[in-house]
Amino acid sequence: MEIKKVSIIGLGALGILFGHHLSKRMPKKDLRIIADKNRIQKYQTDGVYCNDERCDFNYISPEEACEPADLLIFTVKFNGLQDAIKAVKNHVGENTIIISALNGISSEGVIGDAYGTDKVLYCVAQGMDAVKVGNKLTYANMGMLVFGDREPGIISEKVKAVKAFFEKTEFAHEVLTDMKEKLWGKFMLNVGVNQTVAVYESNYGEIQKDGPARDMMIAAMREVAMLSEKEGITLTEDDITYWLDVLSKLSPEGKPSMAQDVEARRFSEVDLFAGTVLELGRKYDIPTPVNKELYDRITKIESEY
């Protein structure tokens, strides 16, 4: 199959980043940004900007009838996933391929339960240093999407179709045949960097240098690595080193989504990160004191909004 029609739901940092890139390489009518009518009105009135350039998006409301998407991309926050699943109903057809750029290790399963696991590829977004303030996004590194099949060791026709589309649209990507390990690796990174930078109310530069913030981040990541073994995924120090190298290439002034949430006094995805770690720690009777401290500190910050 050839991917021609693409729909994106979620116009946060990743939605703007991906949408802006694709809008320059696709016919406008073939790239649909799904949003409710109130949001569409706001986007059209105030504009949406990417690196100071106004985005020229084709908006469509959930109620509007349309051809199903060949590729549907979820870029919402986890707490908005259920609403997003309902909103994309008209965009899902028999042959629609779905990828989720959400954080965590569970969105693919939730989407698969709604529309069929056969439609969903495993995906990880990495290497972005985008910062969104209001309706304006700035970034130095666009990063890439890493994706592959649910089952290890294969490259399906769906994966080949997405790969061909990304090549055609010059969208940075990588195909892997062991995506479950990659999902856990990205989860380990997010648990460390998102929460630590949020607690320190800083940026990537804070954890790129030696010091207490970097030490806390790595300790939180090691707790995830210990838990991964119990889940049949063995993350090692080599995996931690890999993700530290990814972090080292980001703009020091950039910051992860949770730090941006705390700065804007929005409720964060702490339950998705430390909350999941604490739950798994209880399940396997493994102490997770660093994530407990991070959870307590972030929820305290949020309680004072």
Side-chain angles (χ1 to χ4, degrees):
M1 68 173 292
E2 182 182 359
I3 292 172
K4 293 183 178 179
K5 294 196 178 297
V6 177
S7 298
I8 297 174
I9 184 156
L11 212 52
L14 293 187
I16 294 173
L17 189 67
F18 300 162
H20 184 251
H21 178 89
L22 292 174
S23 69
K24 294 175 172 297
R25 293 161 177 84
M26 293 178 62
K28 183 175 179 178
K29 64 181 177 59
D30 289 342
L31 177 65
R32 292 88 59 98
I33 306 296
I34 307 166
D36 64 53
K37 290 177 181 178
N38 289 337
R39 281 195 175 94
I40 291 174
Q41 179 65 47
K42 182 176 174 58
Y43 296 152
Q44 290 174 334
T45 302
D46 300 342
V48 175
Y49 294 85
C50 186
N51 280 353
D52 296 324
E53 182 179 356
R54 183 165 179 149
C55 300
D56 184 23
F57 288 151
N58 169 32
Y59 298 106
I60 182 169
S61 66
E63 301 82 18
E64 245 178 285
C66 63
E67 283 187 64
D70 300 314
L71 177 64
L72 172 60
I73 306 174
F74 281 80
T75 52
V76 296
K77 289 287 185 69
F78 191 80
N79 59 11
L81 181 57
Q82 290 295 345
D83 287 340
I85 286 172
K86 296 173 188 172
V88 302
K89 183 178 179 181
N90 288 341
H91 295 254
V92 180
E94 184 180 349
N95 298 311
T96 301
I97 301 169
I98 302 174
I99 58 177
S100 165
L102 273 68
N103 290 321
I105 51 178
S106 55
S107 66
E108 284 84 358
V110 176
I111 297 167
D113 287 343
Y115 290 116
T117 56
D118 59 308
K119 296 185 185 303
V120 183
L121 299 179
Y122 277 8
C123 179
V124 161
Q126 70 178 59
M128 296 83 176
D129 55 15
V131 174
K132 181 174 178 280
V133 179
N135 60 341
K136 296 181 179 180
L137 180 84
T138 56
Y139 73 92
N141 297 286
M142 183 175 171
M144 70 167 80
L145 287 179
V146 182
F147 63 97
D149 289 288
R150 185 185 185 92
E151 298 300 322
I154 65 169
I155 300 179
S156 67
E157 291 304 313
K158 288 184 172 68
V159 169
K160 291 175 183 176
V162 176
K163 184 179 191 314
F165 171 73
F166 283 160
E167 287 173 349
K168 181 180 178 181
T169 55
E170 303 171 289
F171 196 111
H173 65 280
E174 182 181 354
V175 172
L176 291 183
T177 57
D178 191 1
M179 278 302 300
K180 192 170 182 185
E181 182 175 333
K182 188 71 173 181
L183 280 173
W184 265 85
K186 176 68 187 302
F187 175 63
M188 176 177 71
L189 170 72
N190 278 329
V191 163
V193 69
N194 259 282
Q195 300 186 125
T196 302
V197 177
V199 162
Y200 277 81
E201 298 181 24
S202 188
N203 51 29
Y204 288 124
E206 185 76 32
I207 49 82
Q208 287 170 336
K209 64 186 180 184
D210 290 335
R214 185 176 175 90
D215 291 343
M216 172 175 267
M217 175 186 71
I218 293 172
M221 292 170 72
R222 285 185 175 134
E223 290 181 353
V224 176
M226 283 191 298
L227 291 167
S228 73
E229 188 173 352
K230 299 294 185 180
E231 290 280 305
I233 305 293
T234 305
L235 297 174
T236 67
E237 286 294 316
D238 287 342
D239 294 295
I240 293 175
T241 300
Y242 168 84
W243 288 108
L244 292 178
D245 183 59
V246 170
L247 286 177
S248 72
K249 295 178 173 62
L250 302 181
S251 167
E253 288 77 35
K255 56 187 67 175
S257 59
M258 186 178 282
Q260 296 178 54
D261 288 338
V262 167
E263 193 173 84
R265 300 176 70 80
R266 293 188 297 261
F267 289 99
S268 71
E269 294 182 310
V270 66
D271 286 316
L272 187 63
F273 297 145
T276 300
V277 173
L278 295 177
E279 184 181 334
L280 289 171
R282 289 189 292 269
K283 177 180 177 181
Y284 295 116
D285 197 25
I286 293 176
T288 54
V290 179
N291 275 280
K292 179 67 167 66
E293 180 182 350
L294 286 165
Y295 185 86
D296 290 345
R297 290 175 68 173
I298 293 166
T299 52
K300 184 177 187 302
I301 290 170
E302 293 180 352
S303 73
E304 295 168 355
Y305 288 170

